[in-house]
Amino acid sequence: MSNQSNTKIRPSHRIYSVTKNGDDKSTWTEIGAAWPHKDGSGFNLKFTARPLEGAEMILRVAKAKDAEAA
């Protein structure tokens, strides 16, 4: 890949697997992180787990607290 991320740089986004429960609540599980390409046209994604079947995958901007944990 020509736009490989430098994993020493903190990720800009976190990836979550979101499953809906029967009582209108959702369970969010962090499953990875994303780094923007240098040209700004895409992201490199690194998954640490797989989403459950039927779960939505959500990409959210990493908060300062989340970014420190990376």
Side-chain angles (χ1 to χ4, degrees):
M1 271 180 359
S2 62
N3 283 320
Q4 286 184 337
S5 66
N6 181 350
T7 55
K8 293 180 183 178
I9 298 172
R10 293 183 177 155
S12 62
H13 292 74
R14 296 288 180 188
I15 306 167
Y16 296 90
S17 171
V18 180
T19 54
K20 302 204 187 285
N21 300 327
D23 56 356
D24 293 332
K25 293 186 180 180
S26 298
T27 301
W28 288 58
T29 305
E30 185 176 330
I31 61 169
W35 291 261
H37 287 176
K38 290 179 184 178
D39 65 5
S41 293
F43 291 88
N44 287 350
L45 308 177
K46 184 174 184 179
F47 290 89
T48 56
R50 293 183 185 186
L52 295 173
E53 186 174 334
E56 294 181 36
M57 288 190 355
I58 308 292
L59 184 65
R60 300 277 303 205
V61 172
K63 295 179 184 177
K65 182 179 175 182
D66 294 339
E68 290 173 8

